Amino acid sequence: MSEPTKTIEGWYAYHEFHTIDWASWRSIDPQERQRIFSAFLQVLATFEQEERDGTSSFGVYAIAGHKADLLFLFFRPTLDEVITCKNHIAKTEFADYLQTSYSYTSIVELSSYLAKPGSNPMDDPSLKPRLQPLQEKSGAICFYPMNKRRSGDDNWYMLPMPERIELMRSHGLIGRDYAGKVRQIVTGSVGFDDWEWGVTLYAQDPLQFKKLVYEMRFDEVSARYGDFGDFYVGTAITLSDFEALIQFGE
Ligand code: 76R
């Protein structure tokens, strides 16, 4: 058996994607819509307040394409808390006009591949913000789940540790070229959800997602060992952007 990689976990992550049921939403009168949406905003404002208190992170995103219109993204210390957040949203009247089109449960994960041998990663002061990451409030977001392949000769989990370290070094080097342009949050989901990791990327310019993901496809870690799920791309929105998004301009 090859040696498992040590991982350090941080906040739980819960990505919840929704489509808006525009036909039902349009069918109710504007005052009623206003009332329902105001109540919903109050719930979201609570999540934002909790983020300001430093106990979690929350974000709302507008998503491109037919797979979703909205993403609510929660980073929270416990699984119980993300379940509670999910149910807070589900119990609102506004949720009657949403359909959950996809969701992903995972946990912020740092792996020890590039840690200095013998060092205690917990001594690293840069670790806390990486384990308890705050979301970006502007710019673009990209999310997709992925696996490391386990088929025939291409089985990541049977590679000896030194080989995996070497491959991850090359992966990290490509990533570092995007420092300042793309921020990545890798969340582990073995035992939690249908893929092994979620990848959440932030960039001011969404084109940088394409550049980075494309470049990584040529790197062995992704070329030989990466299997990918559906991609979601969108932008961070404020609560007032959100209000504008769901209005019809009456
Ligand atoms: O954490 C670190 O900065 C150390 C180096 C590093 C690790 C250990 C790193 C760097 N990643 C690591 C682990 Mn990554 N990453 C992805 C994807 O689309 C694809 O082809 C893959 C999706 C992207 C875009 C990306 C970006 N990374 C991982 C893991 C866990 C692997 C395991 O444990 O087997 C996955 C699944 C994964 C996937 N990675 C970086 C980036 C970027 C931009 C960096 C540089 C970060 C920096 O140096 O600031």
Side-chain angles (χ1 to χ4, degrees), residues 5 109-111 113-114 130 144 146 148 156 168 171-172 175-176 178-179 182 184 186 197 199 201 212-213 216-217 222 228:
T5 307
E109 176 188 292
L110 301 181
S111 55
Y113 283 118
L114 305 187
R130 295 181 60 204
Y144 52 102
M146 67 171 288
K148 289 279 176 74
W156 176 258
M168 287 309 291
H171 167 85
R176 235 165 280 159
Y178 288 80
V182 180
Q184 110 278 19
V186 171
W197 289 277
V199 179
L201 306 174
L212 167 62
V213 175
M216 282 192 173
R217 289 294 159 98
S222 300
F228 301 92

PDB file of all heavy atoms in Angstrom, residues 5 109-111 113-114 130 144 146 148 156 168 171-172 175-176 178-179 182 184 186 197 199 201 212-213 216-217 222 228, ligand 1:
ATOM      1  N   THR A   5      -1.510  10.486   1.864  1.00  0.00           N
ATOM      2  CA  THR A   5      -1.074  11.865   2.071  1.00  0.00           C
ATOM      3  C   THR A   5      -1.755  12.422   3.311  1.00  0.00           C
ATOM      4  O   THR A   5      -2.957  12.221   3.492  1.00  0.00           O
ATOM      5  CB  THR A   5      -1.487  12.715   0.851  1.00  0.00           C
ATOM      6  OG1 THR A   5      -1.001  12.062  -0.302  1.00  0.00           O
ATOM      7  CG2 THR A   5      -0.947  14.124   0.937  1.00  0.00           C
ATOM      8  N   GLU A 109      -9.366  21.793   2.532  1.00  0.00           N
ATOM      9  CA  GLU A 109      -8.304  20.797   2.741  1.00  0.00           C
ATOM     10  C   GLU A 109      -6.974  21.320   2.243  1.00  0.00           C
ATOM     11  O   GLU A 109      -6.859  21.807   1.130  1.00  0.00           O
ATOM     12  CB  GLU A 109      -8.677  19.519   1.965  1.00  0.00           C
ATOM     13  CG  GLU A 109      -7.606  18.443   2.037  1.00  0.00           C
ATOM     14  CD  GLU A 109      -7.903  17.270   1.097  1.00  0.00           C
ATOM     15  OE1 GLU A 109      -8.867  16.529   1.344  1.00  0.00           O
ATOM     16  OE2 GLU A 109      -7.146  17.102   0.113  1.00  0.00           O
ATOM     17  N   LEU A 110      -5.970  21.210   3.106  1.00  0.00           N
ATOM     18  CA  LEU A 110      -4.592  21.460   2.681  1.00  0.00           C
ATOM     19  C   LEU A 110      -3.877  20.132   2.743  1.00  0.00           C
ATOM     20  O   LEU A 110      -4.018  19.385   3.711  1.00  0.00           O
ATOM     21  CB  LEU A 110      -3.894  22.460   3.609  1.00  0.00           C
ATOM     22  CG  LEU A 110      -4.527  23.854   3.754  1.00  0.00           C
ATOM     23  CD1 LEU A 110      -3.673  24.708   4.684  1.00  0.00           C
ATOM     24  CD2 LEU A 110      -4.685  24.538   2.404  1.00  0.00           C
ATOM     25  N   SER A 111      -3.112  19.820   1.699  1.00  0.00           N
ATOM     26  CA  SER A 111      -2.373  18.565   1.762  1.00  0.00           C
ATOM     27  C   SER A 111      -0.894  18.852   1.977  1.00  0.00           C
ATOM     28  O   SER A 111      -0.418  19.953   1.724  1.00  0.00           O
ATOM     29  CB  SER A 111      -2.607  17.727   0.513  1.00  0.00           C
ATOM     30  OG  SER A 111      -2.283  18.474  -0.617  1.00  0.00           O
ATOM     31  N   TYR A 113       1.779  17.714   0.603  1.00  0.00           N
ATOM     32  CA  TYR A 113       2.753  17.385  -0.442  1.00  0.00           C
ATOM     33  C   TYR A 113       3.978  18.285  -0.436  1.00  0.00           C
ATOM     34  O   TYR A 113       5.091  17.830  -0.577  1.00  0.00           O
ATOM     35  CB  TYR A 113       2.091  17.459  -1.825  1.00  0.00           C
ATOM     36  CG  TYR A 113       1.238  16.258  -2.119  1.00  0.00           C
ATOM     37  CD1 TYR A 113      -0.124  16.389  -2.345  1.00  0.00           C
ATOM     38  CD2 TYR A 113       1.805  14.987  -2.163  1.00  0.00           C
ATOM     39  CE1 TYR A 113      -0.912  15.281  -2.620  1.00  0.00           C
ATOM     40  CE2 TYR A 113       1.011  13.877  -2.435  1.00  0.00           C
ATOM     41  CZ  TYR A 113      -0.335  14.033  -2.659  1.00  0.00           C
ATOM     42  OH  TYR A 113      -1.095  12.931  -2.925  1.00  0.00           O
ATOM     43  N   LEU A 114       3.728  19.582  -0.301  1.00  0.00           N
ATOM     44  CA  LEU A 114       4.853  20.498  -0.457  1.00  0.00           C
ATOM     45  C   LEU A 114       5.357  21.059   0.876  1.00  0.00           C
ATOM     46  O   LEU A 114       6.148  21.986   0.907  1.00  0.00           O
ATOM     47  CB  LEU A 114       4.499  21.625  -1.436  1.00  0.00           C
ATOM     48  CG  LEU A 114       4.020  21.138  -2.822  1.00  0.00           C
ATOM     49  CD1 LEU A 114       3.849  22.292  -3.791  1.00  0.00           C
ATOM     50  CD2 LEU A 114       4.981  20.105  -3.434  1.00  0.00           C
ATOM     51  N   ARG A 130      -5.999  30.248   5.245  1.00  0.00           N
ATOM     52  CA  ARG A 130      -6.190  29.251   4.176  1.00  0.00           C
ATOM     53  C   ARG A 130      -7.158  28.153   4.615  1.00  0.00           C
ATOM     54  O   ARG A 130      -7.827  27.554   3.778  1.00  0.00           O
ATOM     55  CB  ARG A 130      -4.842  28.667   3.770  1.00  0.00           C
ATOM     56  CG  ARG A 130      -3.932  29.745   3.141  1.00  0.00           C
ATOM     57  CD  ARG A 130      -2.605  29.194   2.703  1.00  0.00           C
ATOM     58  NE  ARG A 130      -2.758  28.159   1.710  1.00  0.00           N
ATOM     59  CZ  ARG A 130      -1.847  27.206   1.484  1.00  0.00           C
ATOM     60  NH1 ARG A 130      -0.737  27.174   2.177  1.00  0.00           N
ATOM     61  NH2 ARG A 130      -2.067  26.315   0.555  1.00  0.00           N
ATOM     62  N   TYR A 144     -15.867  23.473  -9.760  1.00  0.00           N
ATOM     63  CA  TYR A 144     -16.092  22.150 -10.355  1.00  0.00           C
ATOM     64  C   TYR A 144     -15.567  21.078  -9.417  1.00  0.00           C
ATOM     65  O   TYR A 144     -14.627  21.298  -8.660  1.00  0.00           O
ATOM     66  CB  TYR A 144     -15.430  22.011 -11.730  1.00  0.00           C
ATOM     67  CG  TYR A 144     -13.969  22.374 -11.820  1.00  0.00           C
ATOM     68  CD1 TYR A 144     -12.977  21.394 -11.844  1.00  0.00           C
ATOM     69  CD2 TYR A 144     -13.571  23.697 -11.934  1.00  0.00           C
ATOM     70  CE1 TYR A 144     -11.631  21.724 -11.969  1.00  0.00           C
ATOM     71  CE2 TYR A 144     -12.225  24.043 -12.060  1.00  0.00           C
ATOM     72  CZ  TYR A 144     -11.268  23.058 -12.066  1.00  0.00           C
ATOM     73  OH  TYR A 144      -9.947  23.402 -12.176  1.00  0.00           O
ATOM     74  N   MET A 146     -13.870  17.215  -8.841  1.00  0.00           N
ATOM     75  CA  MET A 146     -12.930  16.364  -9.590  1.00  0.00           C
ATOM     76  C   MET A 146     -12.483  15.153  -8.784  1.00  0.00           C
ATOM     77  O   MET A 146     -12.611  15.105  -7.561  1.00  0.00           O
ATOM     78  CB  MET A 146     -11.715  17.165 -10.047  1.00  0.00           C
ATOM     79  CG  MET A 146     -10.811  17.654  -8.937  1.00  0.00           C
ATOM     80  SD  MET A 146      -9.278  18.366  -9.586  1.00  0.00           S
ATOM     81  CE  MET A 146      -8.396  16.923 -10.162  1.00  0.00           C
ATOM     82  N   LYS A 148      -9.176  12.080  -8.667  1.00  0.00           N
ATOM     83  CA  LYS A 148      -7.908  11.570  -9.189  1.00  0.00           C
ATOM     84  C   LYS A 148      -8.203  10.151  -9.686  1.00  0.00           C
ATOM     85  O   LYS A 148      -8.819   9.358  -8.971  1.00  0.00           O
ATOM     86  CB  LYS A 148      -6.840  11.550  -8.084  1.00  0.00           C
ATOM     87  CG  LYS A 148      -6.352  12.962  -7.667  1.00  0.00           C
ATOM     88  CD  LYS A 148      -5.321  13.523  -8.616  1.00  0.00           C
ATOM     89  CE  LYS A 148      -4.894  14.937  -8.272  1.00  0.00           C
ATOM     90  NZ  LYS A 148      -4.018  15.049  -7.110  1.00  0.00           N
ATOM     91  N   TRP A 156      -3.795   6.964  -9.375  1.00  0.00           N
ATOM     92  CA  TRP A 156      -3.102   7.931  -8.509  1.00  0.00           C
ATOM     93  C   TRP A 156      -2.807   7.326  -7.137  1.00  0.00           C
ATOM     94  O   TRP A 156      -1.750   7.545  -6.550  1.00  0.00           O
ATOM     95  CB  TRP A 156      -3.988   9.187  -8.367  1.00  0.00           C
ATOM     96  CG  TRP A 156      -3.475  10.226  -7.436  1.00  0.00           C
ATOM     97  CD1 TRP A 156      -3.886  10.469  -6.157  1.00  0.00           C
ATOM     98  CD2 TRP A 156      -2.426  11.166  -7.714  1.00  0.00           C
ATOM     99  NE1 TRP A 156      -3.184  11.515  -5.623  1.00  0.00           N
ATOM    100  CE2 TRP A 156      -2.281  11.961  -6.552  1.00  0.00           C
ATOM    101  CE3 TRP A 156      -1.616  11.420  -8.825  1.00  0.00           C
ATOM    102  CZ2 TRP A 156      -1.345  12.993  -6.474  1.00  0.00           C
ATOM    103  CZ3 TRP A 156      -0.685  12.452  -8.747  1.00  0.00           C
ATOM    104  CH2 TRP A 156      -0.552  13.217  -7.575  1.00  0.00           C
ATOM    105  N   MET A 168       2.939  16.674  -7.836  1.00  0.00           N
ATOM    106  CA  MET A 168       2.243  17.817  -7.243  1.00  0.00           C
ATOM    107  C   MET A 168       3.116  19.069  -7.257  1.00  0.00           C
ATOM    108  O   MET A 168       2.614  20.182  -7.300  1.00  0.00           O
ATOM    109  CB  MET A 168       1.800  17.499  -5.806  1.00  0.00           C
ATOM    110  CG  MET A 168       0.636  16.539  -5.723  1.00  0.00           C
ATOM    111  SD  MET A 168      -0.775  16.995  -6.737  1.00  0.00           S
ATOM    112  CE  MET A 168      -1.327  18.451  -5.869  1.00  0.00           C
ATOM    113  N   HIS A 171       2.441  20.562 -10.530  1.00  0.00           N
ATOM    114  CA  HIS A 171       1.098  21.174 -10.457  1.00  0.00           C
ATOM    115  C   HIS A 171       1.174  22.536  -9.749  1.00  0.00           C
ATOM    116  O   HIS A 171       0.652  23.534 -10.237  1.00  0.00           O
ATOM    117  CB  HIS A 171       0.155  20.222  -9.710  1.00  0.00           C
ATOM    118  CG  HIS A 171      -1.148  20.839  -9.285  1.00  0.00           C
ATOM    119  ND1 HIS A 171      -2.234  20.916 -10.121  1.00  0.00           N
ATOM    120  CD2 HIS A 171      -1.530  21.412  -8.104  1.00  0.00           C
ATOM    121  CE1 HIS A 171      -3.232  21.515  -9.474  1.00  0.00           C
ATOM    122  NE2 HIS A 171      -2.835  21.821  -8.256  1.00  0.00           N
ATOM    123  N   GLY A 172       1.846  22.543  -8.612  1.00  0.00           N
ATOM    124  CA  GLY A 172       1.951  23.774  -7.813  1.00  0.00           C
ATOM    125  C   GLY A 172       2.689  24.880  -8.571  1.00  0.00           C
ATOM    126  O   GLY A 172       2.344  26.055  -8.449  1.00  0.00           O
ATOM    127  N   GLY A 175       0.356  26.505 -10.941  1.00  0.00           N
ATOM    128  CA  GLY A 175      -0.552  27.340 -10.151  1.00  0.00           C
ATOM    129  C   GLY A 175       0.101  28.634  -9.723  1.00  0.00           C
ATOM    130  O   GLY A 175      -0.510  29.702  -9.776  1.00  0.00           O
ATOM    131  N   ARG A 176       1.368  28.556  -9.337  1.00  0.00           N
ATOM    132  CA  ARG A 176       2.049  29.749  -8.819  1.00  0.00           C
ATOM    133  C   ARG A 176       2.206  30.836  -9.877  1.00  0.00           C
ATOM    134  O   ARG A 176       2.296  32.002  -9.545  1.00  0.00           O
ATOM    135  CB  ARG A 176       3.398  29.367  -8.211  1.00  0.00           C
ATOM    136  CG  ARG A 176       3.508  29.849  -6.781  1.00  0.00           C
ATOM    137  CD  ARG A 176       4.640  29.206  -6.028  1.00  0.00           C
ATOM    138  NE  ARG A 176       4.285  27.872  -5.546  1.00  0.00           N
ATOM    139  CZ  ARG A 176       5.165  26.936  -5.216  1.00  0.00           C
ATOM    140  NH1 ARG A 176       6.454  27.162  -5.316  1.00  0.00           N
ATOM    141  NH2 ARG A 176       4.751  25.766  -4.772  1.00  0.00           N
ATOM    142  N   TYR A 178       0.011  31.821 -11.605  1.00  0.00           N
ATOM    143  CA  TYR A 178      -1.242  32.584 -11.596  1.00  0.00           C
ATOM    144  C   TYR A 178      -1.422  33.345 -10.285  1.00  0.00           C
ATOM    145  O   TYR A 178      -2.511  33.871 -10.026  1.00  0.00           O
ATOM    146  CB  TYR A 178      -2.428  31.643 -11.870  1.00  0.00           C
ATOM    147  CG  TYR A 178      -2.447  31.204 -13.313  1.00  0.00           C
ATOM    148  CD1 TYR A 178      -1.606  30.183 -13.755  1.00  0.00           C
ATOM    149  CD2 TYR A 178      -3.247  31.854 -14.244  1.00  0.00           C
ATOM    150  CE1 TYR A 178      -1.579  29.793 -15.088  1.00  0.00           C
ATOM    151  CE2 TYR A 178      -3.229  31.480 -15.580  1.00  0.00           C
ATOM    152  CZ  TYR A 178      -2.393  30.450 -15.998  1.00  0.00           C
ATOM    153  OH  TYR A 178      -2.373  30.094 -17.325  1.00  0.00           O
ATOM    154  N   ALA A 179      -0.373  33.399  -9.480  1.00  0.00           N
ATOM    155  CA  ALA A 179      -0.448  34.138  -8.214  1.00  0.00           C
ATOM    156  C   ALA A 179      -0.902  35.569  -8.501  1.00  0.00           C
ATOM    157  O   ALA A 179      -0.405  36.206  -9.434  1.00  0.00           O
ATOM    158  CB  ALA A 179       0.917  34.142  -7.535  1.00  0.00           C
ATOM    159  N   VAL A 182      -5.372  34.270  -9.949  1.00  0.00           N
ATOM    160  CA  VAL A 182      -6.387  33.271  -9.572  1.00  0.00           C
ATOM    161  C   VAL A 182      -6.099  32.814  -8.143  1.00  0.00           C
ATOM    162  O   VAL A 182      -4.961  32.498  -7.804  1.00  0.00           O
ATOM    163  CB  VAL A 182      -6.366  32.041 -10.512  1.00  0.00           C
ATOM    164  CG1 VAL A 182      -7.424  31.020 -10.089  1.00  0.00           C
ATOM    165  CG2 VAL A 182      -6.590  32.450 -11.964  1.00  0.00           C
ATOM    166  N   GLN A 184      -7.189  29.887  -5.399  1.00  0.00           N
ATOM    167  CA  GLN A 184      -7.862  28.587  -5.407  1.00  0.00           C
ATOM    168  C   GLN A 184      -8.154  28.142  -3.991  1.00  0.00           C
ATOM    169  O   GLN A 184      -7.374  28.377  -3.081  1.00  0.00           O
ATOM    170  CB  GLN A 184      -7.014  27.564  -6.177  1.00  0.00           C
ATOM    171  CG  GLN A 184      -6.358  26.457  -5.394  1.00  0.00           C
ATOM    172  CD  GLN A 184      -5.050  26.886  -4.726  1.00  0.00           C
ATOM    173  OE1 GLN A 184      -4.780  28.059  -4.534  1.00  0.00           O
ATOM    174  NE2 GLN A 184      -4.248  25.907  -4.349  1.00  0.00           N
ATOM    175  N   VAL A 186      -9.166  24.514  -2.419  1.00  0.00           N
ATOM    176  CA  VAL A 186      -9.405  23.095  -2.672  1.00  0.00           C
ATOM    177  C   VAL A 186     -10.143  22.534  -1.459  1.00  0.00           C
ATOM    178  O   VAL A 186      -9.727  22.731  -0.317  1.00  0.00           O
ATOM    179  CB  VAL A 186      -8.077  22.346  -2.916  1.00  0.00           C
ATOM    180  CG1 VAL A 186      -8.299  20.836  -2.948  1.00  0.00           C
ATOM    181  CG2 VAL A 186      -7.443  22.818  -4.219  1.00  0.00           C
ATOM    182  N   TRP A 197     -12.843  15.927  -4.715  1.00  0.00           N
ATOM    183  CA  TRP A 197     -12.550  17.311  -4.329  1.00  0.00           C
ATOM    184  C   TRP A 197     -13.503  18.257  -5.028  1.00  0.00           C
ATOM    185  O   TRP A 197     -14.006  17.966  -6.121  1.00  0.00           O
ATOM    186  CB  TRP A 197     -11.125  17.728  -4.766  1.00  0.00           C
ATOM    187  CG  TRP A 197     -10.031  17.098  -3.992  1.00  0.00           C
ATOM    188  CD1 TRP A 197      -9.524  17.508  -2.781  1.00  0.00           C
ATOM    189  CD2 TRP A 197      -9.266  15.940  -4.369  1.00  0.00           C
ATOM    190  NE1 TRP A 197      -8.512  16.669  -2.383  1.00  0.00           N
ATOM    191  CE2 TRP A 197      -8.333  15.697  -3.332  1.00  0.00           C
ATOM    192  CE3 TRP A 197      -9.282  15.079  -5.452  1.00  0.00           C
ATOM    193  CZ2 TRP A 197      -7.424  14.645  -3.374  1.00  0.00           C
ATOM    194  CZ3 TRP A 197      -8.379  14.027  -5.500  1.00  0.00           C
ATOM    195  CH2 TRP A 197      -7.465  13.820  -4.463  1.00  0.00           C
ATOM    196  N   VAL A 199     -13.221  22.188  -6.449  1.00  0.00           N
ATOM    197  CA  VAL A 199     -12.233  23.234  -6.744  1.00  0.00           C
ATOM    198  C   VAL A 199     -13.010  24.541  -6.890  1.00  0.00           C
ATOM    199  O   VAL A 199     -13.899  24.643  -7.733  1.00  0.00           O
ATOM    200  CB  VAL A 199     -11.472  22.922  -8.057  1.00  0.00           C
ATOM    201  CG1 VAL A 199     -10.472  24.024  -8.372  1.00  0.00           C
ATOM    202  CG2 VAL A 199     -10.779  21.560  -7.965  1.00  0.00           C
ATOM    203  N   LEU A 201     -12.456  28.536  -7.566  1.00  0.00           N
ATOM    204  CA  LEU A 201     -11.449  29.503  -8.014  1.00  0.00           C
ATOM    205  C   LEU A 201     -12.066  30.896  -8.029  1.00  0.00           C
ATOM    206  O   LEU A 201     -13.250  31.052  -8.344  1.00  0.00           O
ATOM    207  CB  LEU A 201     -10.969  29.151  -9.438  1.00  0.00           C
ATOM    208  CG  LEU A 201     -10.445  27.733  -9.670  1.00  0.00           C
ATOM    209  CD1 LEU A 201     -10.161  27.509 -11.159  1.00  0.00           C
ATOM    210  CD2 LEU A 201      -9.185  27.470  -8.848  1.00  0.00           C
ATOM    211  N   LEU A 212      -5.798  29.082 -16.803  1.00  0.00           N
ATOM    212  CA  LEU A 212      -5.206  28.207 -15.784  1.00  0.00           C
ATOM    213  C   LEU A 212      -5.638  26.748 -15.969  1.00  0.00           C
ATOM    214  O   LEU A 212      -4.809  25.835 -15.993  1.00  0.00           O
ATOM    215  CB  LEU A 212      -5.602  28.703 -14.387  1.00  0.00           C
ATOM    216  CG  LEU A 212      -5.333  27.760 -13.205  1.00  0.00           C
ATOM    217  CD1 LEU A 212      -3.849  27.463 -13.060  1.00  0.00           C
ATOM    218  CD2 LEU A 212      -5.875  28.331 -11.911  1.00  0.00           C
ATOM    219  N   VAL A 213      -6.942  26.535 -16.119  1.00  0.00           N
ATOM    220  CA  VAL A 213      -7.443  25.159 -16.214  1.00  0.00           C
ATOM    221  C   VAL A 213      -6.892  24.502 -17.487  1.00  0.00           C
ATOM    222  O   VAL A 213      -6.485  23.335 -17.473  1.00  0.00           O
ATOM    223  CB  VAL A 213      -8.990  25.119 -16.156  1.00  0.00           C
ATOM    224  CG1 VAL A 213      -9.517  23.705 -16.387  1.00  0.00           C
ATOM    225  CG2 VAL A 213      -9.485  25.639 -14.806  1.00  0.00           C
ATOM    226  N   MET A 216      -3.227  23.611 -16.962  1.00  0.00           N
ATOM    227  CA  MET A 216      -3.099  22.426 -16.087  1.00  0.00           C
ATOM    228  C   MET A 216      -3.443  21.128 -16.821  1.00  0.00           C
ATOM    229  O   MET A 216      -2.925  20.072 -16.469  1.00  0.00           O
ATOM    230  CB  MET A 216      -3.960  22.584 -14.842  1.00  0.00           C
ATOM    231  CG  MET A 216      -3.292  23.488 -13.844  1.00  0.00           C
ATOM    232  SD  MET A 216      -4.052  23.468 -12.225  1.00  0.00           S
ATOM    233  CE  MET A 216      -2.831  24.472 -11.340  1.00  0.00           C
ATOM    234  N   ARG A 217      -4.308  21.194 -17.837  1.00  0.00           N
ATOM    235  CA  ARG A 217      -4.643  19.976 -18.575  1.00  0.00           C
ATOM    236  C   ARG A 217      -3.407  19.314 -19.186  1.00  0.00           C
ATOM    237  O   ARG A 217      -3.400  18.122 -19.440  1.00  0.00           O
ATOM    238  CB  ARG A 217      -5.660  20.262 -19.693  1.00  0.00           C
ATOM    239  CG  ARG A 217      -7.044  20.573 -19.215  1.00  0.00           C
ATOM    240  CD  ARG A 217      -7.696  19.381 -18.542  1.00  0.00           C
ATOM    241  NE  ARG A 217      -8.777  19.836 -17.689  1.00  0.00           N
ATOM    242  CZ  ARG A 217     -10.061  19.849 -18.016  1.00  0.00           C
ATOM    243  NH1 ARG A 217     -10.439  19.389 -19.189  1.00  0.00           N
ATOM    244  NH2 ARG A 217     -10.958  20.292 -17.170  1.00  0.00           N
ATOM    245  N   SER A 222      -3.127  16.539 -14.005  1.00  0.00           N
ATOM    246  CA  SER A 222      -4.471  16.670 -14.595  1.00  0.00           C
ATOM    247  C   SER A 222      -4.608  15.813 -15.853  1.00  0.00           C
ATOM    248  O   SER A 222      -5.627  15.158 -16.058  1.00  0.00           O
ATOM    249  CB  SER A 222      -4.757  18.137 -14.935  1.00  0.00           C
ATOM    250  OG  SER A 222      -4.696  18.912 -13.764  1.00  0.00           O
ATOM    251  N   PHE A 228     -13.013  15.168 -14.283  1.00  0.00           N
ATOM    252  CA  PHE A 228     -13.705  16.390 -13.880  1.00  0.00           C
ATOM    253  C   PHE A 228     -15.214  16.266 -14.007  1.00  0.00           C
ATOM    254  O   PHE A 228     -15.720  15.601 -14.914  1.00  0.00           O
ATOM    255  CB  PHE A 228     -13.202  17.568 -14.726  1.00  0.00           C
ATOM    256  CG  PHE A 228     -11.720  17.783 -14.571  1.00  0.00           C
ATOM    257  CD1 PHE A 228     -10.818  17.171 -15.427  1.00  0.00           C
ATOM    258  CD2 PHE A 228     -11.227  18.548 -13.528  1.00  0.00           C
ATOM    259  CE1 PHE A 228      -9.446  17.334 -15.257  1.00  0.00           C
ATOM    260  CE2 PHE A 228      -9.862  18.714 -13.351  1.00  0.00           C
ATOM    261  CZ  PHE A 228      -8.970  18.101 -14.225  1.00  0.00           C
TER     262      PHE A 228
HETATM  263  O1  76R B   1      -1.438  24.438  -1.355  1.00  0.00           O
HETATM  264  C1  76R B   1      -0.463  24.837  -2.022  1.00  0.00           C
HETATM  265  O2  76R B   1      -0.347  26.000  -2.456  1.00  0.00           O
HETATM  266  C2  76R B   1       0.610  23.849  -2.296  1.00  0.00           C
HETATM  267  C3  76R B   1       0.614  23.369  -3.690  1.00  0.00           C
HETATM  268  C4  76R B   1      -0.703  22.781  -4.129  1.00  0.00           C
HETATM  269  C5  76R B   1      -1.322  21.602  -3.686  1.00  0.00           C
HETATM  270  C6  76R B   1      -0.851  20.627  -2.636  1.00  0.00           C
HETATM  271  C7  76R B   1      -1.565  23.367  -5.119  1.00  0.00           C
HETATM  272  C8  76R B   1      -1.317  24.555  -5.766  1.00  0.00           C
HETATM  273  N1  76R B   1      -2.646  22.544  -5.305  1.00  0.00           N
HETATM  274  C9  76R B   1      -2.536  21.479  -4.443  1.00  0.00           C
HETATM  275  C10 76R B   1      -3.443  20.423  -4.298  1.00  0.00           C
HETATM  276 MN1  76R B   1      -4.093  22.756  -6.735  1.00  0.00          MN
HETATM  277  N2  76R B   1      -5.547  23.038  -8.078  1.00  0.00           N
HETATM  278  C11 76R B   1      -6.424  22.061  -8.512  1.00  0.00           C
HETATM  279  C12 76R B   1      -7.121  22.551  -9.662  1.00  0.00           C
HETATM  280  O3  76R B   1      -8.311  21.868 -13.269  1.00  0.00           O
HETATM  281  C13 76R B   1      -7.403  21.121 -12.865  1.00  0.00           C
HETATM  282  O4  76R B   1      -6.614  20.565 -13.675  1.00  0.00           O
HETATM  283  C14 76R B   1      -7.253  20.827 -11.401  1.00  0.00           C
HETATM  284  C15 76R B   1      -8.087  21.731 -10.486  1.00  0.00           C
HETATM  285  C16 76R B   1      -6.679  23.829  -9.907  1.00  0.00           C
HETATM  286  C17 76R B   1      -7.125  24.770 -11.012  1.00  0.00           C
HETATM  287  C18 76R B   1      -5.684  24.135  -8.903  1.00  0.00           C
HETATM  288  C19 76R B   1      -5.011  25.335  -8.801  1.00  0.00           C
HETATM  289  N3  76R B   1      -4.903  20.992  -6.175  1.00  0.00           N
HETATM  290  C20 76R B   1      -4.532  20.220  -5.126  1.00  0.00           C
HETATM  291  C21 76R B   1      -5.445  19.109  -5.006  1.00  0.00           C
HETATM  292  C22 76R B   1      -5.400  17.984  -3.960  1.00  0.00           C
HETATM  293  C23 76R B   1      -4.590  16.891  -4.586  1.00  0.00           C
HETATM  294  C24 76R B   1      -4.302  15.710  -3.741  1.00  0.00           C
HETATM  295  O5  76R B   1      -4.296  15.804  -2.496  1.00  0.00           O
HETATM  296  O6  76R B   1      -4.061  14.641  -4.346  1.00  0.00           O
HETATM  297  C25 76R B   1      -6.339  19.211  -6.045  1.00  0.00           C
HETATM  298  C26 76R B   1      -7.508  18.291  -6.372  1.00  0.00           C
HETATM  299  C27 76R B   1      -5.987  20.390  -6.783  1.00  0.00           C
HETATM  300  C28 76R B   1      -6.638  20.823  -7.909  1.00  0.00           C
HETATM  301  N4  76R B   1      -3.269  24.586  -7.211  1.00  0.00           N
HETATM  302  C29 76R B   1      -2.177  25.192  -6.642  1.00  0.00           C
HETATM  303  C30 76R B   1      -3.889  25.536  -8.014  1.00  0.00           C
HETATM  304  C31 76R B   1      -3.151  26.756  -7.937  1.00  0.00           C
HETATM  305  C32 76R B   1      -3.555  28.054  -8.650  1.00  0.00           C
HETATM  306  C33 76R B   1      -2.069  26.539  -7.090  1.00  0.00           C
HETATM  307  C34 76R B   1      -0.993  27.519  -6.685  1.00  0.00           C
HETATM  308  C35 76R B   1      -1.356  28.141  -5.381  1.00  0.00           C
HETATM  309  C36 76R B   1      -0.304  29.064  -4.868  1.00  0.00           C
HETATM  310  O7  76R B   1       0.886  28.724  -4.958  1.00  0.00           O
HETATM  311  O8  76R B   1      -0.715  30.121  -4.366  1.00  0.00           O
END
